Amino acid sequence: MLEEALEHLVRGIVAHPDDRGIVAHPDDVRVASRMLRRGNVLEVRVHPDDLGKVIGRGGRTARALRTVISSLAGNRHVRIDLLETGEVR
């Protein structure tokens, strides 16, 4: 459920037109979940041109995404990593 919610939010951010009319890549958004000892890690992969949109000015958008997902997760620990599409981890 968290993966779908996060993917929906990020696609909405990426698909929203910016001031310069830059074409976004909402189809390149991918969210993968991994379990670690300390909780879930949600890896969000976006096109390199859209990474700045998802992070936001001063990290505000990324912080807001983390706040929303943390509230949906309840007591579970969830970490969100933002990566470019081709970045290897």
Side-chain angles (χ1 to χ4, degrees):
M1 178 190 117
L2 293 176
E3 296 88 2
E4 292 89 8
L6 183 58
E7 186 170 349
H8 176 75
L9 291 170
V10 173
R11 279 184 193 267
I13 292 167
V14 170
H16 191 273
D18 63 1
D19 298 340
R20 299 170 291 175
I22 303 272
V23 176
H25 306 91
D27 295 334
D28 289 348
V29 174
R30 300 282 181 262
V31 177
S33 177
R34 292 186 303 148
M35 278 298 292
L36 298 178
R37 283 180 280 140
R38 294 181 51 194
N40 257 358
V41 175
L42 299 176
E43 287 186 352
V44 180
R45 295 187 179 273
V46 297
H47 192 276
D49 295 341
D50 298 327
L51 191 58
K53 266 186 172 179
V54 176
I55 293 172
R57 185 171 289 155
R60 289 182 194 166
T61 306
R63 193 173 322 119
L65 286 170
R66 289 182 173 113
T67 300
V68 170
I69 296 302
S70 294
S71 67
L72 288 175
N75 292 335
R76 296 178 292 170
H77 177 75
V78 178
R79 189 178 88 202
I80 298 175
D81 291 342
L82 301 171
L83 307 167
E84 291 181 0
T85 305
E87 195 172 336
V88 177
R89 230 202 214 197

